[in-house]
Amino acid sequence: MSEKKHYGFTTTILHNDRRKAIEQGSLHKPIHTSVAFGYNDARQLASVFQGKEPGFRYGRQGNPTVSALEDKITKMEDGVSSLCFGTGMAAIGALFQALLREGDHIVSSSFLFGNTNSLWQTVAGQGVEVDFVDATDVANVEAVLKENTRLVFVETIANPRTQVADLARIGELCRARGILYVVDNTMTTPYLFRPKAVGAGLVVNSLTKSIAGHGIALGGALTDTGLFDWSAFPNIAANFRKQPPAAQGMAQLRAKALRDFGAALGPEAAHHIAVGAETLALRMERTCANALALAQMLEADERVSAVHYPGLPSHPQHGLSTELFRAAGSLLSFELRADIDPFDYLNRLNLAIPASNLGDTRTLVIPVAHTIFFEMGAERRASMGIAESLIRVSVGIEDADDLLEDFRVALDV
Ligand SMILES: *Cc1c(COP(=O)(O)O)cnc(C)c1O
């Protein structure tokens, strides 16, 4: 089979596995459930352990099915290598476990997925200083940078209030200062946006969400884009310095975060995610179109007091979103007029399901302040721009007419 250099996004995902040596010409990478990998020559086992030749050692540190998915994600992000984890949070936690030390400083957007916000609070209690800033303006990031700033972390479109980070300018700033730039691409997915284009060194994806799309498997990934100079990163341990500079970050992440902390992705989950990813582009086209139509309908209704969706011209970062992303994503949030009880409203919906996930094929709704952002308290919610009545909608692939009617009819009391 001759290799053409540049296939399109979906073609690449569909045909990636079978371009490798694959058992019985199987079209999908098989699910390898074996934890151990046997070698006929004990010297070969030793040389695999010493990293002198490729091969698998033990399931926690790598598995052929997971490795095929890692390769697929690397292609999707146009990176140089990826590591998969049991969840998206494990991938983010790996940054702390493998790359940060006591006395380091990090900068994070204050507009964040709730559990990432909670993780940074934990980190702050363990000797790493964390500054939260409004990352929609690069000036706020620049203002808090220090000598010991090791990384800057932002989400592309923030979950759930949809603020768009000043992605390109933060990338320029990080490059100029030699700081690792980590972008959580979960909300946009590599189909709508590649953080490599704005200078990200590492990309986070929760595979649980749109990449899998079906809501039947958890997973997360880190992708090294090849843009960050690991030889200048002070926290690489001596034994990983023996690797070529480009491979040092991922080598340390694989050993310290995956091997030592053990948040490995299982082969069955990897298989489910790989199958789901094949239709990512198709689903994103549909969910983004549905989300835009729903956002427009809600915004035009006087019973809705606010709609947050970067695809609307009224969104503060609409220009940025249009410039950077292929479409404005499948997630929106909105607030009802004060006299409409949000719980009663959600209970009147027939199609949209009250549930905590996003990027599912089905439309899911959640009253944010009372669920996923409950634990942090009202003050922190307010600082993140989250109204007590905010409803988050993860828009699915339902027929647009059905979806719009569901949200419209429920407004009639
Ligand atoms: C869901 C989510 C995560 C965490 O992913 P899990 O797979 O649920 O652990 C991280 N970042 C963002 C933006 C998310 O939406």
Side-chain angles (χ1 to χ4, degrees):
M1 202 166 4
S2 70
E3 275 262 17
K4 182 176 159 226
K5 264 246 143 64
H6 292 293
Y7 285 111
F9 187 84
T10 297
T11 312
T12 302
I13 298 174
L14 289 175
H15 293 277
N16 196 57
D17 289 353
R18 72 186 182 87
R19 279 170 196 282
K20 309 270 159 56
I22 190 163
E23 299 86 332
Q24 313 298 341
S26 165
L27 296 189
H28 289 273
K29 182 69 184 172
I31 304 176
H32 288 269
T33 55
S34 184
V35 169
F37 303 89
Y39 292 86
N40 291 329
D41 175 355
R43 285 192 183 83
Q44 193 187 5
L45 174 65
S47 106
V48 166
F49 259 80
Q50 290 168 25
K52 290 179 184 153
E53 63 181 293
F56 295 94
R57 309 171 194 185
Y58 179 70
R60 182 166 13 85
Q61 298 158 57
N63 163 289
T65 311
V66 175
S67 164
L69 177 63
E70 288 174 344
D71 192 44
K72 213 169 277 196
I73 291 159
T74 299
K75 297 261 173 32
M76 289 159 80
E77 287 290 1
D78 191 26
V80 295
S81 61
S82 298
L83 275 182
C84 281
F85 295 86
T87 64
M89 285 317 301
I92 301 172
L95 300 169
F96 170 59
Q97 289 153 357
L99 299 180
L100 298 175
R101 290 184 188 161
E102 189 176 5
D104 285 344
H105 172 247
I106 67 168
V107 181
S108 169
S109 167
S110 48
F111 309 132
L112 281 180
F113 176 61
N115 300 154
T116 307
N117 173 70
S118 173
L119 172 70
W120 293 150
Q121 312 285 346
T122 306
V123 165
Q126 296 183 355
V128 170
E129 192 191 350
V130 185
D131 263 316
F132 290 100
V133 299
D134 174 349
T136 61
D137 184 350
V138 64
N140 299 323
V141 176
E142 187 164 20
V144 298
L145 291 184
K146 301 182 187 191
E147 191 74 13
N148 59 339
T149 305
R150 296 287 169 254
L151 65 87
V152 172
F153 183 97
V154 302
E155 294 177 6
T156 50
I157 302 176
N159 172 4
R161 257 286 266 103
T162 76
Q163 297 97 334
V164 179
D166 197 358
L167 290 159
R169 276 169 284 265
I170 297 173
E172 282 163 26
L173 175 68
C174 288
R175 189 178 51 218
R177 302 287 186 90
I179 296 170
L180 177 61
Y181 184 28
V182 185
V183 176
D184 183 336
N185 199 27
T186 302
M187 298 282 286
T188 24
T189 82
Y191 180 64
L192 298 186
F193 176 64
R194 279 175 169 155
K196 184 182 176 184
V198 293
L202 287 178
V203 181
V204 174
N205 277 292
S206 166
L207 307 176
T208 316
K209 311 290 174 53
S210 302
I211 287 182
H214 37 46
I216 59 168
L218 291 159
L222 290 179
T223 300
D224 187 334
T225 61
L227 295 181
F228 184 67
D229 177 11
W230 291 103
S231 68
F233 193 69
N235 295 351
I236 300 290
N239 52 332
F240 303 109
R241 287 283 185 222
K242 292 177 201 146
Q243 303 261 353
Q248 290 174 4
M250 288 308 245
Q252 181 158 312
L253 277 158
R254 187 179 284 281
K256 297 208 171 197
L258 206 53
R259 185 193 65 197
D260 301 353
F261 278 84
L265 179 67
E268 291 90 351
H271 170 72
H272 282 309
I273 292 163
V275 174
E278 294 183 351
T279 55
L280 173 62
L282 305 181
R283 287 182 284 104
M284 289 312 282
E285 294 285 349
R286 176 84 163 225
T287 58
C288 293
N290 278 355
L292 179 61
L294 181 60
Q296 286 167 337
M297 184 205 83
L298 291 171
E299 188 174 52
D301 198 300
E302 54 170 22
R303 292 163 294 187
V304 175
S305 61
V307 182
H308 312 288
Y309 183 65
L312 294 175
S314 58
H315 189 284
Q317 292 92 38
H318 176 66
L320 208 53
S321 162
T322 312
E323 199 181 299
L324 294 170
F325 312 141
R326 193 194 288 257
S330 54
L331 187 132
L332 62 92
S333 53
F334 69 100
E335 295 154 43
L336 292 164
R337 211 170 55 192
D339 59 319
I340 307 173
D341 183 273
F343 285 96
D344 290 341
Y345 176 79
L346 294 179
N347 289 343
R348 284 193 295 272
L349 294 168
N350 285 315
L351 289 175
I353 308 159
S356 172
N357 185 20
L358 49 92
D360 198 294
T361 43
R362 295 155 190 81
T363 297
L364 307 178
V365 287
I366 193 158
V368 174
H370 308 274
T371 56
I372 47 177
F373 283 64
F374 181 72
E375 187 187 293
M376 67 177 61
E379 198 179 316
R380 179 90 180 105
R381 281 196 293 274
S383 77
M384 298 170 97
I386 295 168
E388 297 299 291
S389 63
L390 189 73
I391 293 171
R392 184 184 80 180
V393 188
S394 168
V395 180
I397 60 169
E398 291 92 346
D399 297 286
D401 290 350
D402 295 335
L403 199 59
L404 266 55
E405 190 188 339
D406 198 35
F407 281 83
R408 188 173 50 234
V409 169
L411 286 168
D412 301 328
V413 183

